[in-house]
Amino acid sequence: LFKQVSKIGIIDGDSRNLTINKEQFLKLNKNLCDWTALCDAEIAGRIFDFLKCCPSERSNETKISKLIMTSIANGVPSSNELKKTLSLEENETIDFLHFIRFMNIVYNSDANMRLKFLYGVSMNDSQKKIDIYNGIFSVLLSKLEFLAKNSEKIRSESNLVESGEKNHKSSLPIMNQEEFISFWKIVYNLFTGMENEGEMYHAAATVSTLLLKLGEASRKFQNESSKIKSGVALVAESDKLPKSASLTNLDISSNKVWSITFEQLIASVLTDNHLVNYFDTKYDVEKKLAEYKAQHA
């Protein structure tokens, strides 16, 4: 089915790689995604933008293999060497591996993984998207990025993989207020048209309000911590100033922002059974495929 809507990309002159653009993704997603709310054009478009943030691993297979062998023989490459070796520019297409990972989120994941995916979809910053994508799918590219930061020489490919897996246990990037609003806009749209729409909206409102307060508390805590550090610095700096200098001229302002972590988000969502049951709902991929084939027989 993917082949039917895809276009063929030529990689390194001889390899073939099936890819689809956004328009083709929207068509395929509408026909194959049984999570109906994700068929909305706006949400599906943001999903595509998230998926394409990471370059195709298949398009970099040869380069990655050579880099692994070089690393085994000569030690860890630098970040600059890594960037030169791999094609990290953003594409306007996704390949089958991108698509099947998304389908796995739809058909074979739990609330934690689905919320993590939507968390990534809501991000505005490209690097955040890449970090979350790598964190969810543990792609080889992220393992190589970790390798570039590691000062120890890697003696085997298995050590490289183990090092990468350990790296993925770290926290996901934090979410700012603008991204938080985008996340809940997506979530509210998911509930539109449901029989218990009112209950779902109420549950979402309760949890999002709690998270807003957590984000504000985080900002206040950061500000207080900043003031304490600034105060210490102020006292230290005052000893160096002429007696006539005014301490009020020293800048002790804080530039801390509202933010929450994914751990805070998932912990808050899991307190409401309506939301947990919704994001844990299982869908039947075989039934959806049968319906699609029957319609296009």
Side-chain angles (χ1 to χ4, degrees), residues 19 35 43 48 64 68 74 90 101 129 138 159 171 207 212 215 231 240 254:
T19 62
W35 189 353
I43 295 176
F48 179 85
I64 288 174
I68 289 175
N74 304 322
E90 187 174 284
R101 282 172 172 161
K129 289 181 180 180
S138 299
N159 287 339
S171 298
V207 172
L212 274 171
K240 304 175 185 178
S254 172

Side-chain angles (χ1 to χ4, degrees), residues 177-241:
Q177 196 163 29
E178 183 180 354
E179 293 160 342
F180 175 81
I181 292 171
S182 295
F183 174 86
W184 285 103
K185 182 180 178 181
I186 291 174
V187 171
Y188 275 99
N189 286 338
L190 295 178
F191 304 148
T192 301
M194 292 180 62
E195 292 183 3
N196 62 336
E197 181 181 292
E199 293 179 343
M200 299 304 297
Y201 283 160
H202 176 73
T206 301
V207 172
S208 60
T209 300
L210 172 61
L211 286 166
L212 274 171
K213 293 178 180 178
L214 285 174
E216 188 59 35
S218 174
R219 174 161 57 184
K220 290 180 179 179
F221 176 77
Q222 291 178 67
N223 284 337
E224 289 303 316
S225 298
S226 180
K227 287 178 181 178
I228 293 174
K229 292 178 181 178
S230 297
V232 173
L234 188 66
V235 172
E237 189 67 22
S238 67
D239 293 334
K240 304 175 185 178
L241 294 174

Side-chain angles (χ1 to χ4, degrees), residues 109-279:
S109 293
D110 57 13
N112 180 71
M113 188 62 74
R114 287 171 174 169
L115 287 166
K116 190 177 292 185
F117 184 82
L118 292 178
Y119 186 84
V121 170
S122 305
M123 292 295 175
N124 296 325
D125 182 76
S126 296
Q127 188 57 52
K128 283 186 179 182
K129 289 181 180 180
I130 292 173
D131 291 343
I132 295 172
Y133 183 95
N134 289 342
I136 295 174
F137 301 113
S138 299
V139 299
L140 182 57
L141 183 60
S142 67
K143 294 169 185 174
L144 290 173
E145 289 172 341
F146 174 72
L147 172 66
K149 299 175 184 177
N150 196 320
S151 60
E152 297 179 1
K153 290 189 176 182
I154 306 301
R155 295 303 180 186
S156 69
E157 187 172 344
S158 61
N159 287 339
L160 168 62
V161 173
E162 288 173 8
S163 298
E165 295 296 346
K166 290 178 182 178
N167 187 48
H168 286 300
K169 295 180 180 179
S170 60
S171 298
L172 298 178
I174 63 172
M175 173 177 274
N176 62 37
Q177 196 163 29
E178 183 180 354
E179 293 160 342
F180 175 81
I181 292 171
S182 295
F183 174 86
W184 285 103
K185 182 180 178 181
I186 291 174
V187 171
Y188 275 99
N189 286 338
L190 295 178
F191 304 148
T192 301
M194 292 180 62
E195 292 183 3
N196 62 336
E197 181 181 292
E199 293 179 343
M200 299 304 297
Y201 283 160
H202 176 73
T206 301
V207 172
S208 60
T209 300
L210 172 61
L211 286 166
L212 274 171
K213 293 178 180 178
L214 285 174
E216 188 59 35
S218 174
R219 174 161 57 184
K220 290 180 179 179
F221 176 77
Q222 291 178 67
N223 284 337
E224 289 303 316
S225 298
S226 180
K227 287 178 181 178
I228 293 174
K229 292 178 181 178
S230 297
V232 173
L234 188 66
V235 172
E237 189 67 22
S238 67
D239 293 334
K240 304 175 185 178
L241 294 174
K243 296 298 182 180
S244 58
S246 173
L247 297 184
T248 57
N249 292 329
L250 291 177
D251 182 16
I252 58 171
S253 62
S254 172
N255 193 30
K256 302 303 178 182
V257 297
W258 186 102
S259 65
I260 62 168
T261 65
F262 176 75
E263 289 76 14
Q264 290 173 320
L265 187 146
I266 188 65
S268 300
V269 170
L270 292 179
T271 62
D272 190 283
N273 288 333
H274 288 94
L275 297 178
V276 173
N277 292 335
Y278 176 81
F279 286 106

